[in-house]
């Protein structure tokens, strides 16, 4: 049993990507060169903002409809992405805010700094959000994003991916990551994916096709579970001397 | 032997250059999906405490301002309580404690309108000096960077975190600069001689 207010487990920074991953060129000048200062979490990191279900609009987790004109829909392969947000102790994290963003079916982002020649879809914005239920469960509906080229190496293409931003119950759990799709051969060629040191850790970001939750004649499903840092039981720590 | 059964944390990936689409869509002209960007407003007319403005820019290792960073801050209310889920009790209901801003597309500067936080205890009961926690993501940053901002006009000499940093000549990177009454600048240097202290929290 763990404590709702206990300190968070330390991050395994050999599992996460290092700051400097030279094949991902932008990381070269954006990576600290000095060691991080290690600390145990305090109240400043063990607390975090709380987001209620009442802030959500009815279409917030439906990217097929949430930017579409009346009676229109986004173009592309219709998919549902669902899963749970868990902590490292395997418990569902209720009330976790998930935000997601992605390119359209052709690999084009709706962003003024993006100039890829694939066209925008007038009915696709590319953002969505949801808050996990009492078991940590969530789902969203969207179109499968396309791969797109980016100026890194001479011919680098990102695999199809959906960005996820996650809030748990403490600011120390704050995480942004990317979801990749089962079977995409570009995954193993991507310098951003390869910033992750081990194959096992990369596999944690690949969502399997989930036929059991596919809606026949409508949308395929992919399952993507997200694991946030767990909390220690406070056991004998955090007890002020003399009390 | 029994096995430890902890799951591994999902590995981080960069937020990328288009983080705005998902986190501050109105800022990047995706309007009509959410009424406003989350974290845009931290205070209202009834919030208790001294109003402050916090601004800064993130610089890369060449000294260039980063124009695609996103900054989040998390802080206590004027009484030193965290909104939301502080085990010690309820904070000011008119204060969110959390803010989120993207850097300006042309200059990279970000600005928060908030209040001066109260002091919060360290786990051993000593008081930490008033501070604001920051989290920085951007293209080229593979895992979000944590740091803290302290105030130049409070006594930080007994802060339990600052005092245990071995290289005390780096502590000034965590102290904001006072630009005017209630206006503080906190520039962040990702790399190099002026590199900000980042924390493995």
């Amino acid at each position: 049993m763990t404590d709702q207010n206990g300190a968070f487990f330390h991050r395994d920074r050999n599992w996460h990507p290092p700051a400097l991953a030279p094949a991902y060129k932008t990381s070269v000048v954006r990576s600290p060169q000095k060691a991080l200062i290690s600390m145990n979490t305090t109240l400043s990191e063990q607390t975090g903002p709380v987001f209620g279900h009442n802030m959500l609009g009815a279409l917030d987790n439906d990217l097929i409809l949430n930017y579409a004109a009346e009676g229109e829909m986004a173009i592309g392969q219709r998919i549902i992405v669902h899963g749970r947000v868990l902590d490292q102790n395997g418990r569902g994290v209720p009330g976790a805010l998930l935000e997601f963003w992605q390119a359209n079916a052709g690999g084009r982002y709706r962003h003024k700094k993006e100039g890829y020649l694939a066209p925008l879809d007038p009915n696709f914005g590319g953002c969505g959000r949801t808050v996990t239920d009492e078991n940590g469960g969530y789902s969203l509906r969207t179109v499968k994003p396309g791969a797109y080229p980016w100026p890194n190496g001479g011919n680098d293409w990102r695999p199809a991916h959906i960005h996820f931003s996650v809030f748990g119950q403490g600011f120390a759990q704050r995480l942004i990551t990317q979801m990749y799709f089962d079977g995409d051969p570009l995954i193993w060629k991507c310098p951003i994916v390869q910033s992750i040191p081990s194959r096992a850790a990369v596999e944690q970001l690949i969502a399997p096709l989930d036929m059991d939750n596919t809606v026949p004649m409508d949308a395929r499903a992919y399952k993507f579970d997200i694991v946030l840092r767990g909390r220690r039981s406070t056991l004998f720590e955090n007890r002020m001397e003399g009390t | 032997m029994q096995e430890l059964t902890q799951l591994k944390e999902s590995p981080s990936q960069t937020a990328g250059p288009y983080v705005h689409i998902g986190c501050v869509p109105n800022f990047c002209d995706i309007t009509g999906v959410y009424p406003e960007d989350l974290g845009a407003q931290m205070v209202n007319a009834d919030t208790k405490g001294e109003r402050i403005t916090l601004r800064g820019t993130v610089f890369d290792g060449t000294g260039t301002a980063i124009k695609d960073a996103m900054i989040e801050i998390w802080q206590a209310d004027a009484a030193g309580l965290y909104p939301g889920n502080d085990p010690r009790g309820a904070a000011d209901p008119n204060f969110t404690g959390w803010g989120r801003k993207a850097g300006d597309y042309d200059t990279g500067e970000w600005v928060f309108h908030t209040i001066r936080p109260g002091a919060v205890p360290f786990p051993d009961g000593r008081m930490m000096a008033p501070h604001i926690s920051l989290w920085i993501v951007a293209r080229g940053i593979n895992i979000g960077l944590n740091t803290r901002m302290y105030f130049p006009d409070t006594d930080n000499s007994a802060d339990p975190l600052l005092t245990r940093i071995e290289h005390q000549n780096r502590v000034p990177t965590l102290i904001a600069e006072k630009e005017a009454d209630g206006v503080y600048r906190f520039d962040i240097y990702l790399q190099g001689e002026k590199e900000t202290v980042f924390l493995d929290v």
Side-chain angles (χ1 to χ4, degrees), chain A residues 12-13 15-16 24 28-31 33-34 37-38 44-45 88 99 114 169 174 177 180 204 227, chain B residues 7-11 13 18 61 68 72 82 85 100 131 139-140 148 164 191 195 198 200-201:
Chain A
D12 179 352
R13 290 188 180 266
W15 184 256
H16 286 285
Y24 175 25
V28 174
V29 292
R30 296 188 174 193
S31 45
Q33 292 167 326
K34 297 182 176 68
I37 302 294
S38 292
S44 302
E45 296 81 30
Q88 287 179 270
E99 298 163 297
E114 224 264 68
Q169 293 164 337
R174 196 74 184 83
T177 188
Y180 303 102
Q204 196 176 357
V227 180
Chain B
L7 302 173
K8 299 302 288 188
E9 187 186 7
S10 294
Q13 291 273 262
Y18 310 128
D68 52 15
E72 293 183 359
Y82 280 101
N85 55 5
R100 173 154 79 184
H131 62 273
R139 173 173 65 102
R148 282 187 182 183
R164 64 178 288 273
Q191 188 186 88
E195 187 172 307
F198 296 106
D200 186 6
V201 300

Side-chain angles (χ1 to χ4, degrees), chain A residues 36-60:
Chain A
L36 302 179
I37 302 294
S38 292
M39 57 180 284
N40 292 325
T41 54
T42 73
L43 276 169
S44 302
E45 296 81 30
Q46 287 157 217
T47 56
V50 173
F51 303 96
H53 295 263
N54 57 1
M55 69 170 221
L56 299 174
L59 297 178
D60 278 7

Side-chain angles (χ1 to χ4, degrees), chain A residues 46-128:
Chain A
Q46 287 157 217
T47 56
V50 173
F51 303 96
H53 295 263
N54 57 1
M55 69 170 221
L56 299 174
L59 297 178
D60 278 7
N61 68 338
D62 188 347
L63 283 70
I64 289 179
L65 294 180
N66 72 9
Y67 194 78
E70 190 72 30
E72 303 282 315
M73 284 191 252
I75 291 171
Q77 300 179 35
R78 297 161 63 84
I79 61 168
I80 292 162
V81 178
H82 74 103
R84 292 177 74 202
V85 178
L86 305 165
D87 69 16
Q88 287 179 270
N89 296 308
R91 298 187 311 180
V93 179
L97 172 66
L98 298 180
E99 298 163 297
F100 16 89
W101 66 100
Q102 62 168 86
N104 70 20
R108 174 71 184 269
Y109 283 96
R110 185 174 288 281
H111 192 283
K112 64 172 77 167
K113 296 287 172 81
E114 224 264 68
Y116 181 35
L117 54 77
L120 288 168
D121 176 347
N123 292 306
F124 186 75
C127 65

Side-chain angles (χ1 to χ4, degrees), chain A residues 84-88 91-96 132-137 167-169 173 226 228-229:
Chain A
R84 292 177 74 202
V85 178
L86 305 165
D87 69 16
Q88 287 179 270
R91 298 187 311 180
V93 179
T132 57
D133 64 23
E134 65 277 13
N135 299 312
F167 290 81
Q169 293 164 337
Q173 288 175 307
I226 297 167
L228 301 180
R229 294 168 70 179

